[in-house]
Amino acid sequence: MTPRTAARAVSVLAALALVAGCGGADGSGSDGSRDGRGERSGPSRAPDVVPTESRAPAPGRGSGGPDDINGDGHPDLLMQVPVAWPASRGGVPQIAVVFGSPRGLDPTTRTLYTTEELGVPDPSPVGNTPPYPGTTADLDDDGFADFVTRTGEETSGGNRVVEYVNWGGPQGPRRGAAPTRLRLPAPDAATGFDDVVRGDFDGDGRHDLAGLQSADTGLRSDKSAVVLLFGPFSRTGVAARTERRILPQPPYASYGGIRADDIAPSGKPRTTGLFLHYGNDGEQSAGRYFAARPGGGLAATGRPVREGNGHVFGDFDGDGTRDLAVGDDGGRNDEPGSEAEAADVSGSYAVYPGGGGPVRTYRPGADVGGSYTAVDPDGDGRDALLFDGREGPVLYEGDRRVARLVRRPPARVDGKRIAAGSGARRVHFAADFDGDGKDEVVLSWQSPKLSAVYGEVPTHWWITRGVGPRDAVAFSSRKFAPPR
């Protein structure tokens, strides 16, 4: 598996103990009990510890990993962190990098960036939020991951989205260095892309970008297209070469999004598949799948896939070939005509084998919902599917539910009582952070009770040990950034 596309602690010793997975009997405070289905349940409340920043990240020599910010061979976690500031005064979150180590993510080793330090132009004239890095990739092939940030700008013909790159280095991007604007091919420069994702679309081991251009405004051509920008990129923001693929007209008004498979973290060449999702108005919509060809590169034509707003790449049959899972994410359109949805969409997902075999459909039922994440918790090379549902993350292998990830927030934060089931929980991605061949899951939590001070960004994080009750580390990022 690969990574998927943010006050001081009581003492340094407490923070280090937290990083080591200490605390409760199982590292997360779980009582270890099981429910009637054999699943772990009933964890106690999480600790509310902000690890003290104890050391700077060690500079690496360059690994080429898409999520390895300092190039030391260990994947890192990029997140937004709140700034303690009354919300009425408009506190702007900062960017934090929590660096990896041979033991996994270490929240005592971190660095912070303000949006001003990254230097990406403020998109406020076009009504966007502050510019934060949306993805990381080693675009110039120097071994260090770069920040890619999308922002907006006004033009004579209207507003458009543009991308900027903060070039990486042994300690991450350099503060105050002017970012480079990504140079798009002539047909796309005037309007920009609707969405951009990273990948390795020709299987040469170098990182690429893919941009979606939908034919949904008068500024664009009457054809939607996916544009492949192949690395390495020059430091002036120009791709080594480009490829443009015209997309068939979808049954909806336009294409709504683009998603790519994960780049192999080992540096070994592996073509990443590409999925184009049709636009929708709240209902479940279909899309097109460009599979990775065994000989390298994407399939010449896209394969139509079923309706479903949940989608993720992974190896769900363990055959060494990457697959695509598409299914119900629980969203519905309650407008007239919504009952026309196909009967086999609700409560199900389908796996499209990367090798082109028959499609397999599974029906977990009510557990299906939210975002989809592929995770290999036992290191057997076969991914399971983690649904970020309304009642918390739940893991399925085919039709079989194998685990539920239950994490409860602290009982009290800043003197405020927190209900056990309150707030917003989210699955960010899964990765093998400690190099043991098994994936950990990154979970976050944010409470409305804290939003008046910290805004809407997550304040508490868990890095699980697989999908059991134990955590590699659990910590709060609410005071990573100094208050203003």
Side-chain angles (χ1 to χ4, degrees):
M1 277 288 302
T2 63
R4 319 284 181 233
T5 158
R8 303 296 184 187
V10 176
S11 69
V12 174
L13 291 177
L16 293 177
L18 181 63
V19 172
C22 301
D26 58 9
S28 67
S30 172
D31 61 11
S33 63
R34 293 179 180 271
D35 63 17
R37 301 182 65 167
E39 298 170 3
R40 293 285 185 180
S41 62
S44 61
R45 310 302 288 270
D48 181 34
V49 177
V50 181
T52 300
E53 188 174 6
S54 62
R55 53 191 175 275
R61 297 182 178 180
S63 70
D67 297 290
D68 182 6
I69 305 302
N70 61 332
D72 65 350
H74 307 293
D76 309 314
L77 176 62
L78 186 72
M79 62 170 72
Q80 288 185 35
V81 296
V83 175
W85 190 338
S88 60
R89 295 177 59 188
V92 176
Q94 295 186 13
I95 299 300
V97 180
V98 174
F99 289 93
S101 75
R103 299 174 302 279
L105 290 173
D106 178 0
T108 70
T109 306
R110 60 183 187 262
T111 191
L112 291 173
Y113 295 90
T114 65
T115 55
E116 293 80 8
E117 288 171 336
L118 294 178
V120 176
D122 185 352
S124 57
V126 295
N128 291 348
T129 58
Y132 299 109
T135 191
T136 57
D138 181 12
L139 297 183
D140 57 355
D141 200 34
D142 66 349
F144 301 99
D146 312 305
F147 290 177
V148 181
T149 302
R150 288 166 58 76
T151 187
E153 68 177 12
E154 292 180 306
T155 69
S156 59
N159 301 329
R160 65 181 170 193
V161 176
V162 294
E163 288 79 25
Y164 284 85
V165 181
N166 292 96
W167 303 104
Q171 292 181 312
R174 184 162 57 89
R175 291 177 177 81
T180 300
R181 180 168 174 162
L182 194 67
R183 305 299 174 182
L184 304 186
D188 311 296
T191 56
F193 294 138
D194 293 355
D195 201 1
V196 171
V197 293
R198 71 186 187 189
D200 180 5
F201 303 113
D202 54 3
D204 67 351
R206 296 186 173 110
H207 298 179
D208 312 317
L209 296 175
L212 172 64
Q213 189 187 76
S214 289
D216 58 356
T217 75
L219 295 176
R220 305 180 189 274
S221 66
D222 60 355
K223 296 291 186 181
S224 297
V226 58
V227 183
L228 305 177
L229 309 176
F230 295 99
F233 290 69
S234 72
R235 283 296 183 102
T236 61
V238 179
R241 62 186 180 90
T242 64
E243 180 181 329
R244 185 180 183 85
R245 298 191 181 189
I246 301 300
L247 300 171
Q249 179 64 33
Y252 307 88
S254 65
Y255 286 84
I258 182 173
R259 180 149 187 172
D261 194 3
D262 296 321
I263 298 172
S266 62
K268 295 180 180 179
R270 184 186 74 191
T271 303
T272 53
L274 199 60
F275 174 64
L276 284 303
H277 191 212
Y278 298 153
N280 60 74
D281 189 24
E283 72 279 6
Q284 304 291 304
S285 61
R288 302 192 73 83
Y289 170 32
F290 289 85
R293 295 182 301 186
L298 293 174
T301 58
R303 175 182 185 180
V305 302
R306 55 158 276 173
E307 294 177 347
N309 296 346
H311 37 264
V312 70
F313 288 89
D315 184 1
F316 298 105
D317 52 14
D319 66 351
T321 302
R322 305 288 290 179
D323 313 312
L324 173 68
V326 177
D328 185 7
D329 75 341
R332 290 295 182 273
N333 183 339
D334 58 2
E335 296 176 359
S338 61
E339 65 277 1
E341 174 185 274
D344 61 351
V345 170
S346 179
S348 71
Y349 72 95
V351 173
Y352 292 77
V359 178
R360 301 181 300 276
T361 298
Y362 304 100
R363 305 184 184 282
D367 278 334
V368 172
S371 63
Y372 285 24
T373 302
V375 55
D376 180 4
D378 53 11
D380 66 352
R382 179 175 180 175
D383 289 323
L385 192 53
L386 185 64
F387 302 111
D388 192 8
R390 289 184 296 271
E391 297 181 3
V394 59
L395 192 75
Y396 268 80
E397 292 179 353
D399 293 311
R400 184 172 66 93
R401 190 171 85 174
V402 296
R404 183 180 291 279
L405 276 69
V406 180
R407 297 296 186 273
R408 295 182 176 177
R412 189 177 293 271
V413 179
D414 293 348
K416 295 181 174 64
R417 296 174 65 94
I418 305 296
S422 68
R425 294 164 292 179
R426 180 184 174 190
V427 177
H428 283 258
F429 52 83
D432 179 12
F433 289 106
D434 57 11
D436 67 352
K438 304 175 183 178
D439 282 346
E440 295 82 52
V441 180
V442 180
L443 305 172
S444 70
W445 175 84
Q446 180 271 335
S447 171
K449 279 199 169 185
L450 306 177
S451 61
V453 174
Y454 302 112
E456 303 298 326
V457 298
T459 58
H460 291 73
W461 300 78
W462 293 261
I463 314 300
T464 72
R465 291 192 184 279
V467 292
R470 295 179 60 88
D471 295 320
V473 59
F475 63 95
S476 173
S477 61
R478 60 192 172 86
K479 294 184 178 179
F480 276 15
R484 294 186 178 182

